[in-house]
Amino acid sequence: MTSSDETRNLPLPQPRRQREGQHTGGSSAAGDRLLARIRELRYLRDRVMDDHVVGPHGQNLTVAEAHARAGLLDGLIELEQVRGSLRHRRVNRLTRVLTLLIVTVVDLPIMLWLASSVFNVDWAAPLGLPLLISVVISVLATVGAATALHHLGHNQRQHKNHRRQLEWSRLSTGAKLSLLTVGLLVGLMGVVMFVRVSTEGLLSGMNGLALLMAVLVALVMVVSATLVFWTAFRDGSLEQDDLRHYSECVRPHLAAKREYEDQAYELGCQHDLLRRRAEREDAIGAPAE
């Protein structure tokens, strides 16, 4: 047998495309799975805005409607602020913290001293039922007064003008009664403190100093109570409350939408890499045919 016969009997080399056919098919299947996942993520992204949320006044709204209303309110507030209105301005955090500290550090100790005097707490041996009653009464009186003043001030914001002031002539009868209630509560706190401190001072025989001390303590209580009311009154507006509610409702849905978009974009990049890799492999295998 000649060498040419041996060469003819050798197995023919397998074409390159057939050897790589399985790999190309795997890439195609992976690309199809990526495309299916991308379509699913885009569908979920589009459905996010159709979810339902509850509005600030109990409305049943879609996320898209709530987002649109938030945009309208934001534009309205921005327009009024550009025109010089101060009605929507928020009280800074330092003022709110200062108000809370005054109520806790000033009002509560003074109220505790007043209650302990009424219930005859013996500070030589203070532990007992009188001290417990004094603490409970002082906490209830302080927290109750501060809560009532804050609530009344918060409700009166609807009557605030663009200079963050109340105009008595434009107030309704209910609003005037609420303000009279605030004045009565603040005045009562000041009178109670004045009477208690002056009585205690007169018993000590120092009439002039007792009177000054009573005026000082009463003034501190009046200023503290007024500060609670005016802090709540000057803190934003009803429109800002609605805007804050819409923003809190919409924020998690927008975050979910952004997450779907990011995942779809990342998978799209992976699909492009697979497609380009398959194109290069096809281009390399083409000359072998």
Side-chain angles (χ1 to χ4, degrees):
M1 181 180 293
T2 64
S3 60
S4 59
D5 295 333
E6 293 178 355
T7 304
R8 284 197 297 269
N9 292 330
L10 290 176
L12 296 175
Q14 186 177 6
R16 184 179 184 87
R17 172 167 292 189
Q18 293 179 2
R19 292 201 305 266
E20 295 183 352
Q22 296 179 355
H23 180 74
T24 304
S27 300
S28 177
D32 291 341
R33 288 194 295 270
L34 287 176
L35 284 177
R37 179 56 180 166
I38 291 172
R39 293 191 185 97
E40 180 185 5
L41 290 172
R42 289 174 177 172
Y43 171 77
L44 294 175
R45 176 202 63 186
D46 296 336
R47 286 295 303 272
V48 164
M49 302 305 289
D50 294 331
D51 292 340
H52 287 82
V53 295
V54 179
H57 307 291
Q59 312 99 308
N60 187 20
L61 306 171
T62 63
V63 177
E65 291 172 344
H67 187 56
R69 295 192 181 192
L72 290 176
L73 284 174
D74 184 55
L76 175 63
I77 293 173
E78 184 69 22
L79 178 61
E80 291 188 0
Q81 289 179 342
V82 169
R83 292 177 176 177
S85 175
L86 304 176
R87 191 167 64 90
H88 305 287
R89 181 174 295 181
R90 297 291 307 278
V91 173
N92 58 57
R93 181 172 299 180
L94 179 60
T95 302
R96 292 195 291 267
V97 172
L98 179 62
T99 303
L100 181 61
L101 287 177
I102 289 178
V103 172
T104 306
V105 178
V106 178
D107 289 3
L108 184 59
I110 293 177
M111 194 66 67
L112 179 60
W113 171 75
L114 174 63
S116 63
S117 301
V118 173
F119 293 101
N120 298 320
V121 176
D122 185 8
W123 291 106
L127 298 180
L129 184 60
L131 178 61
L132 179 61
I133 296 176
S134 300
V135 171
V136 172
I137 294 298
S138 60
V139 170
L140 289 178
T142 303
V143 175
T147 302
L149 291 171
H150 184 274
H151 179 73
L152 291 172
H154 191 269
N155 287 343
Q156 291 300 320
R157 294 179 305 158
Q158 58 183 324
H159 304 294
K160 180 169 51 176
N161 60 21
H162 293 291
R163 297 187 302 274
R164 304 173 80 186
Q165 298 174 351
L166 278 172
E167 297 182 1
W168 181 264
S169 60
R170 297 185 178 182
L171 296 180
S172 61
T173 303
K176 292 180 180 179
L177 291 177
S178 297
L179 289 178
L180 291 176
T181 302
V182 172
L184 179 62
L185 180 59
V186 173
L188 183 61
M189 294 173 63
V191 169
V192 169
M193 287 302 166
F194 176 82
V195 172
R196 184 66 191 93
V197 175
S198 61
T199 301
E200 191 73 21
L202 291 176
L203 293 177
S204 65
M206 304 180 65
N207 297 343
L209 182 60
L211 183 62
L212 291 176
M213 183 65 68
V215 171
L216 176 62
V217 174
L219 183 61
V220 168
M221 294 297 296
V222 170
V223 171
S224 175
T226 305
L227 181 61
V228 172
F229 175 82
W230 281 105
T231 299
F233 172 75
R234 294 167 67 87
D235 189 20
S237 62
L238 300 180
E239 291 83 358
Q240 272 200 343
D241 291 345
D242 291 347
L243 176 60
R244 191 179 305 112
H245 182 89
Y246 286 129
S247 300
E248 292 176 355
C249 291
V250 170
R251 187 179 298 113
H253 296 276
L254 293 181
K257 180 182 178 183
R258 176 61 61 85
E259 182 67 22
Y260 291 140
E261 291 175 347
D262 292 342
Q263 293 181 15
Y265 177 78
E266 182 179 355
L267 293 180
C269 294
Q270 295 179 15
H271 180 266
D272 289 340
L273 289 176
L274 288 177
R275 180 177 55 81
R276 293 174 183 175
R277 182 182 302 173
E279 291 175 353
R280 287 196 302 268
E281 292 173 351
D282 292 339
I284 293 174
E289 298 179 1

